[in-house]
Amino acid sequence: MTDTLELARELISLKSVTPADAGCQALIAARLAAVGFRIEPIRCGEVENLWARRGESAPLVCFAGHTDVVPAGPLEAWHSDPFVPTERAGRLYGRGAADMKTSLAAFVTAIEAFVAERPRHGGSIALLLTSDEEGPAVDGTARVVERLRARGESIDYCIVGEPTSVAKLGDTVKNGRRGSLTGRLVVKGRQGHVAYPHLARNPVHLAAPALAELAAVEWDRGNEYFPPTTWQISNVHAGTGAANVIPGEMEVLFNFRFSTASTPESLERRVREVLDRHGLDYAIEWTLGASPFLTPRGTLVAVLTEAIREAAGVTPEVSTTGGTSDGRFIATIAREVVEFGPVNESIHQVDEHVEVASIEPLRRAYLGALRRLLP
């Protein structure tokens, strides 16, 4: 068993369901302190955060990630206990195996190896951890970034350990993510008996043409960095539950995943234009979950590409697909942010896993990036 695999197993065994950390950060902090890191725990409400740094000079290379995991779901659906790391047929199973405790273990062992090689390395190394990435993401990385900004601490290069690989370790890295904008639409009608529709106004019937039009809109065509913006209905509710009652109102939840080719303001305006054109009586509430971020395909992308090619034998595609990540917060104080981690096929699923054979190449890629970025 390699040191990275052993640490990954230790972390998986800690039941850190968001926003709990369950001791993950203390375990990591103890190892980093042993190799000269200054440890700074930052607790915000129920959330545990950690900022650990070795060195004071530039450039600052930061590894970032989260110790919290999503709930396991029905335990009977798993083939083994999600919080008892289990190896079967060359795979390591457990909640957080891919998202993202294997990345955290590889961060730590890569850092340890680098410091052993170059105890007097130039520049600085940091690790930023939170237990609030899978939850509201209010008291986690965003709070740490606020503190760093307030004291003038910036990051040159940040590697976020999100599971970005698609079919094979290293086939994809991400230098940006789309934004997330959610709308809660309430269309008002008039409740009545289904036998007397002329005395009622059915909000489902009234809204259906507008919703069909919204589903067909081309919001933008994306750009050289991002795919086109998408709009999806995620929930619809109307009625009392009785088959003979026309509902008085209908609630629709929808979400945009938007590129830098659109803005929240432009998307909100275009939605209202469609709803108004159909003459609906409605109210709408907006929640901006995340703004899109993009960092240049510069030094960090080039360095990681070389390190991944050397460690895993593949050349990564540079992408901005997928959901949101804490990279959006870090990008406000970092010159370059790139995400790279294990294959994401099983994340948030029953029997989440990573290939055991991919763990050491992951560590070597992180180590290779450090060797190239710090003298």
Side-chain angles (χ1 to χ4, degrees), residues 160-180:
V160 184
E162 288 292 340
T164 59
S165 301
V166 178
K168 181 180 181 181
L169 178 73
D171 61 9
T172 307
V173 300
K174 300 192 177 184
N175 67 325
R177 294 275 190 159
R178 295 175 297 175
S180 174

Side-chain angles (χ1 to χ4, degrees), residues 71-83 88 93-95 346 348-353:
L75 298 182
E76 64 275 11
W78 287 70
H79 287 83
S80 54
D81 190 314
F83 297 103
R88 296 193 304 274
Y93 289 85
R95 177 57 85 220
S346 67
H348 293 208
Q349 297 183 18
V350 168
D351 287 343
E352 180 181 350
H353 61 269

